[in-house]
């Protein structure tokens, strides 16, 4: 169970090794925060300068109090002090848990919280937490809480007491010797290590630009390509194609008679396959009719009566001729 602490409240601790975690939210203009611890004797002062555990002196000579350093978590940044309460010297009655902002006022630090964990229980819930809020906003160092001894029991108390003269002024109030003329030899005045800066937000990579198409290589002016006329392709005859038909012969047109003139007798057509019969030959096997004197022409068929041929008309005259036949 986690105890939500109020200023001045306390809670007993069952754990023998505790981890005090300072956590805050980084951002633009937010100062870096450092965690430190002061081990106080019976007179509520340090026994020597070695009782001051901070960034330039991260471990107490007894080995029971040490600084783990800064760490980045999902909620922000942390700086941690771990203490083995079972091994702390009997002359130490209080251990102050301090936050400093390197000379910058705490009104610019957002969501400052101290959380107390049992170091022996991995990934356990915090035993207690306290939201630290400065009283005036001008504090540059804060006593967030303290571990103190009551008989054989250790307890944690939420404090939130501030100092406007920074970590050096706070350390001086509890007996740390600070020689202004020997700032280089003073552990508090020595330069502090570089603070952990929040990781920059990942920048979006610019979209890849398409590669412009390369122009086609130009032909050399000295040797331009020669383009000749297109050659006709010979058409090969298809195999097995039939030959063309012979041209159609014109049909003979029979001669037309000349009008106004006597017609020419038609030539006798031969009987195909047989020789033409000679004129005046008798039909074999039949009696022949006697020939008429002065009459020539085709003989009658045998066995049939012969036609009677009349004599020419002595009064026959040609019809009058047209003007084209009159002599001029």
């Amino acid at each position: 169970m986690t105890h939500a602490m109020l200023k001045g409240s306390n809670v007993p601790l069952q754990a023998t090794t505790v981890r005090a975690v300072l956590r805050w939210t980084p951002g633009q203009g937010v100062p870096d925060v450092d965690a430190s611890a002061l081990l106080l004797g019976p007179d509520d002062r340090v026994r020597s300068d070695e009782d001051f555990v901070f960034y330039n002196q991260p471990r107490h000579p007894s080995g029971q109090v040490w600084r783990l350093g800064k760490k980045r978590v999902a909620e922000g940044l942390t700086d941690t002090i771990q203490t083995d309460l079972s091994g702390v010297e009997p002359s130490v009655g209080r251990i102050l848990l301090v936050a400093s902002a390197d000379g910058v006022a705490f009104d610019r630090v957002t969501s400052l919280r101290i959380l107390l964990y049992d170091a022996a229980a991995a990934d356990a819930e915090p035993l207690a937490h306290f939201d630290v809020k400065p009283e005036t906003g001008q504090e540059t160092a804060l006593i967030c809480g303290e571990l103190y001894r009551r008989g054989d029991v250790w307890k944690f108390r939420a404090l939130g007491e501030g100092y406007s003269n920074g970590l050096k002024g706070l350390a001086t109030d509890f007996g740390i010797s600070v020689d202004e003329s020997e700032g280089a030899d003073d552990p508090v005045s020595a330069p502090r290590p570089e603070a952990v800066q929040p990781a920059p937000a990942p920048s979006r990579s610019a979209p890849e630009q398409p590669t412009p198409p390369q122009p086609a290589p130009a032909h050399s002016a000295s040797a331009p390509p020669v383009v000749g006329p297109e050659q006709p392709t010979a058409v090969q005859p298809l195999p097995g194609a039939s030959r063309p038909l012979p041209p159609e012969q014109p049909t003979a047109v029979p001669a037309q008679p000349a009008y106004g003139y006597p017609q020419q007798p038609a030539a006798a057509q031969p009987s195909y396959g047989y020789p033409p019969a000679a004129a005046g030959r008798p039909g074999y096997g039949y009696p022949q009719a006697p020939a008429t004197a002065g009459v020539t022409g085709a003989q009658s068929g045998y066995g049939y009566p012969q036609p009677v041929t009349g004599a020419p008309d002595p009064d026959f005259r040609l019809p009058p001729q047209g003007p084209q036949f009159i002599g001029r």
Side-chain angles (χ1 to χ4, degrees):
M1 177 180 177
T2 301
H3 295 274
M5 308 291 293
L6 298 176
K7 186 174 182 178
S9 62
N10 64 80
V11 60
L13 302 175
Q14 302 297 327
T16 57
T17 303
V18 294
R19 190 167 62 245
V21 179
L22 283 176
R23 191 182 72 195
W24 68 98
T25 302
Q28 185 68 29
V30 177
D32 195 29
V33 178
D34 296 303
S36 55
L38 287 92
L39 285 70
L40 306 181
D43 56 354
D44 288 341
R45 294 177 66 87
V46 296
R47 297 167 300 174
S48 68
D49 289 348
E50 293 179 344
D51 286 340
F52 188 22
V53 178
F54 68 117
Y55 48 80
N56 280 337
Q57 188 171 280
R59 193 176 188 91
H60 190 266
S62 66
Q64 306 305 311
V65 182
W66 66 96
R67 182 173 179 266
L68 294 179
K70 289 183 171 63
K71 185 178 180 181
R72 195 180 310 277
V73 295
E75 296 84 358
L77 291 176
T78 64
D79 199 2
T80 305
I81 297 289
Q82 185 160 314
T83 304
D84 183 1
L85 298 175
S86 61
V88 174
E89 299 165 295
S91 59
V92 176
R94 299 171 63 195
I95 301 175
L96 302 182
L97 303 173
V98 178
S100 59
D102 196 21
V104 181
F106 267 92
D107 61 349
R108 298 171 59 182
V109 179
T110 57
S111 305
L112 180 62
R113 172 179 285 189
I114 184 169
L115 304 101
L116 210 64
Y117 290 88
D118 183 355
D123 300 328
E125 293 293 326
L127 303 175
H129 68 80
F130 170 53
D131 292 330
V132 185
K133 296 180 181 179
E135 294 181 355
T136 66
Q138 300 304 312
E139 296 88 341
T140 55
L142 288 168
I143 301 175
C144 300
E146 66 174 352
L147 302 170
Y148 65 100
R149 196 195 306 260
R150 283 293 181 266
D152 295 334
V153 178
W154 284 91
K155 294 184 177 182
F156 172 72
R157 178 184 288 124
L159 293 178
E161 298 176 358
Y163 286 77
S164 59
N165 52 356
L167 183 61
K168 184 182 294 187
L170 186 151
T172 302
D173 282 356
F174 287 95
I176 298 295
S177 301
V178 178
D179 190 349
E180 298 293 342
S181 62
E182 299 179 0
D185 298 332
D186 179 22
V188 179
S189 303
R192 58 189 296 277
E194 294 185 3
V196 176
Q197 299 297 330
S203 59
R204 296 183 179 178
S205 58
E208 183 178 356
Q209 299 296 329
T211 304
Q214 298 296 329
H219 293 289
S220 173
S222 60
V226 179
V227 180
E230 184 179 0
Q231 299 297 329
T233 304
V235 179
Q236 300 295 333
L238 295 175
S242 61
R243 294 183 178 180
L245 296 175
E248 185 179 359
Q249 299 297 328
T251 304
V253 179
Q256 299 297 325
Y259 296 100
Y261 293 92
Q263 303 300 318
Q264 298 293 330
Q269 299 295 330
S271 301
Y272 294 100
Y274 298 94
R281 295 292 181 88
Y284 298 101
Y286 294 92
Q288 302 297 318
T292 305
V295 179
T296 60
Q299 301 297 322
S300 63
Y302 298 103
Y304 293 91
Q306 301 298 319
V308 179
T309 304
D313 187 2
D315 296 328
F316 174 77
R317 297 289 185 272
L318 291 173
Q321 298 181 358
Q324 67 271 27
F325 297 103
I326 300 175
R328 295 177 182 265

